[in-house]
Amino acid sequence: MIMVNIPSPAVSIVGRHNSGKTTLIERLIAELVARGHDVGSVKHHSHVGFEIDYPGKDSFRHRAAGASETVIAAPGQLARIKTLEGEVECSDIVRSMPGHDIVVVEGYRKSGLPTIEIMRAGNEADARVAEVFAEGARRGWPLGTDFTQFTRGTVPPADDDEAREALRRAQEEAIAAENAHFKTQHPDHVDISNKLPTNNTVAIVTDIEEALRAAELYNVPAFDLDDIAGLATLMEERFVRPRVTVVIQAGGESRRMGRSKATVPFAGRPLICRLVERLAPVADDLVITTNEPDNLAFLHTEFPQYRVQLVCDSFDYRGALPGLYTALQAARNPYVAVVACDMVFASASLVVAEALAMNETGADVVVPVNKHGFEPFHAMYRRMACLPAVRRALDRGEKRAQAFFDDVEVLEFPQSAVLEAEPMGGCFINANTPEELHSLEESFLEG
């Protein structure tokens, strides 16, 4: 598969020394790989210098479990080996590992990533953190608050009324306690405060009963240390890149082009080849809808690795909405990216960003929007919800692509989000005439 710079979703698994992180990660990677996912991993060392990837080392264990790529990082060093100024940011590492269904990060507590927290009863530091975590839960303090500072005369700032009220109550309790000391008054309170679950914590993995109860109070999913299947399911549902069918709409002959847009020459090859090369790397299933499949049969020979499916239009009349129905009906996956074949700069990165937004929000349609309105032919659709809604709109005699939007949950993807996914922009530029195509070709060749 051709690799493109597609950001991979990532989850960090953290704990203290000897918490069992690597063992859990080994098993989790193996489970996700067994389910057919491409998994990358990161091993972070907080100390300067490290030895790389020999049997017994944590990074070696990541690879042995099935990770297809492992990055090993420490202050001043990164394995792929590269000398760095200072310590590399986790976000930069993840961005440098494109094409995975998910990247599992070991360490990097302050990465800002969704975090899975391990607390093991046999680890003294874990047990201490669990004790503080449970105390904060019992007192109703917001997750992510620096619990250790409540009785030390310093109260961290709170950004909402509920958190401020919780802090006020905590101060009153501390004053009322007079000489009594809250459990976090402990020589290691600073270390503990830096290693507590935060508002980035999405799951707790533990065999400590009070940590399980605290997780329940905070409404954070909790798993036993041996529940690898349950943890993998949570990651699949919330973080693994969703399976996407990419549909390129080739249609048929264009009156203004004098032939099919799919077969007009662009940089010495049929235009459809450019679209396939740009979008296939992020497609779990690649479909091209067309009413001239014989003219596009050469794609099977040109791109055998992608198993391109040529699908004839479902209706004998043309229109945006009938074409969208064909795309949705032909798709094999729950998420369907639909892209017009004349969008010369169609973006694989934008397809992934739309899929992740759909996964995160539960929307049925993620559609870019700009000053010209919707861009329904570089958008993402949830097949199960959209297919019947499109059918109903067709039965009403509708032909516009967005005619069914009122019947489903639509997430408008603003220009700022588009540019974050594809900084070069230009994703929606299309060629409707030979002159426009020639101009885009010249721009492409000059660039």
Side-chain angles (χ1 to χ4, degrees):
M1 179 176 286
I2 298 171
M3 296 300 292
V4 291
N5 190 25
I6 305 302
S8 304
V11 174
S12 178
I13 295 177
V14 299
R16 281 134 297 281
H17 185 59
N18 289 331
S19 291
K21 297 188 299 295
T22 302
T23 298
L24 178 73
I25 284 172
E26 272 186 290
R27 298 171 66 192
L28 184 57
I29 289 171
E31 178 73 18
L32 289 167
V33 169
R35 296 184 184 200
H37 299 296
D38 181 320
V39 180
S41 72
V42 175
K43 170 61 186 175
H44 177 238
H45 294 274
S46 58
H47 55 80
V48 176
F50 57 88
E51 295 178 88
I52 299 167
D53 220 21
Y54 65 81
K57 293 296 288 183
D58 293 351
S59 51
F60 186 91
R61 291 166 64 186
H62 287 207
R63 296 277 288 173
S68 62
E69 179 180 16
T70 296
V71 170
I72 312 157
Q77 242 182 336
L78 184 72
R80 286 179 201 151
I81 303 287
K82 182 178 180 181
T83 301
L84 301 168
E85 290 288 332
E87 184 173 2
V88 67
E89 292 292 332
C90 184
S91 57
D92 293 333
I93 296 173
V94 171
R95 277 195 294 269
S96 75
M97 300 172 67
H100 303 290
D101 291 330
I102 191 166
V103 173
V104 178
V105 179
E106 180 175 349
Y108 277 111
R109 177 176 292 279
K110 296 183 179 180
S111 64
L113 292 171
T115 297
I116 297 168
E117 182 82 37
I118 301 176
M119 300 180 196
R120 187 166 56 84
N123 183 289
E124 183 179 346
D126 283 359
R128 177 75 183 132
V129 165
E131 180 184 23
V132 176
F133 177 51
E135 182 73 11
R138 285 192 293 270
R139 296 191 178 213
W141 293 331
L143 187 63
T145 301
D146 184 355
F147 302 151
T148 65
Q149 297 300 310
F150 280 130
T151 59
R152 299 181 61 82
T154 302
V155 177
D159 296 328
D160 58 74
D161 292 339
E162 183 179 348
R164 280 194 290 270
E165 176 60 22
L167 295 174
R168 185 190 64 77
R169 289 198 309 269
Q171 284 181 305
E172 290 179 352
E173 289 177 14
I175 293 169
E178 296 180 347
N179 294 326
H181 291 286
F182 175 48
K183 291 178 180 180
T184 55
Q185 294 286 41
H186 191 278
D188 63 354
H189 73 273
V190 173
D191 183 57
I192 290 172
S193 68
N194 288 329
K195 294 183 177 178
L196 283 163
T198 71
N199 49 16
N200 288 327
T201 302
V202 295
I204 303 289
V205 181
T206 186
D207 58 352
I208 303 173
E209 282 299 324
E210 61 179 353
L212 290 169
R213 289 193 293 271
E216 185 177 359
L217 288 172
Y218 281 120
N219 198 31
V220 174
F223 300 87
D224 185 83
L225 293 173
D226 291 324
D227 190 6
I228 301 301
L231 188 57
T233 295
L234 173 78
M235 292 176 70
E236 275 192 316
E237 291 175 350
R238 295 183 58 180
F239 304 110
V240 169
R241 182 185 66 83
R243 298 295 185 194
V244 176
T245 292
V246 173
V247 180
I248 301 172
Q249 292 204 310
E253 182 176 340
S254 165
R255 286 188 293 273
R256 283 186 283 185
M257 286 289 188
R259 62 190 296 181
S260 166
K261 286 185 180 181
T263 59
V264 294
F266 185 88
R269 304 174 72 198
L271 179 58
I272 191 68
C273 292
R274 175 171 171 80
L275 272 292
V276 170
E277 288 174 338
R278 289 182 70 83
L279 298 176
V282 296
D284 298 290
D285 182 30
L286 182 63
V287 173
I288 296 174
T289 58
T290 177
N291 58 21
E292 48 177 15
D294 292 344
N295 289 343
L296 299 184
F298 70 91
L299 292 172
H300 295 305
T301 303
E302 188 79 11
F303 301 104
Q305 69 273 36
Y306 296 135
R307 299 180 182 177
V308 175
Q309 299 171 64
L310 301 177
V311 175
C312 292
D313 294 335
S314 300
F315 297 91
D316 57 6
Y317 59 92
R318 301 178 67 174
L321 195 62
L324 187 55
Y325 182 85
T326 299
L328 294 169
Q329 190 175 53
R332 296 178 181 176
N333 290 298
Y335 289 11
V336 186
V338 180
V339 181
C341 77
D342 61 356
M343 285 187 169
V344 176
F345 301 107
S347 169
S349 296
L350 180 56
V351 169
V352 172
E354 291 169 346
L356 293 174
M358 178 171 284
N359 201 42
E360 182 178 345
T361 65
D364 299 316
V365 178
V366 178
V367 58
V369 62
N370 54 33
K371 63 183 180 181
H372 303 296
F374 293 122
E375 292 286 354
F377 291 106
H378 202 319
M380 185 70 59
Y381 300 89
R382 190 183 299 272
R383 185 179 188 275
M384 185 175 294
C386 292
L387 187 59
V390 170
R391 179 79 238 193
R392 290 193 296 271
L394 287 168
D395 290 344
R396 296 194 302 267
E398 302 281 2
K399 291 187 178 180
R400 295 180 308 116
Q402 57 265 44
F404 72 101
F405 279 9
D406 287 342
D407 298 331
V408 293
E409 190 70 32
V410 176
L411 175 67
E412 296 184 5
F413 215 56
Q415 190 69 9
S416 59
V418 172
L419 290 175
E420 184 177 348
E422 183 56 75
M424 296 299 292
C427 309
F428 314 125
I429 298 173
N430 57 2
N432 290 308
T433 66
E435 293 75 23
E436 289 175 354
L437 185 66
H438 179 68
S439 176
L440 290 171
E441 185 178 34
E442 284 189 336
S443 174
F444 167 72
L445 294 173
E446 289 173 2

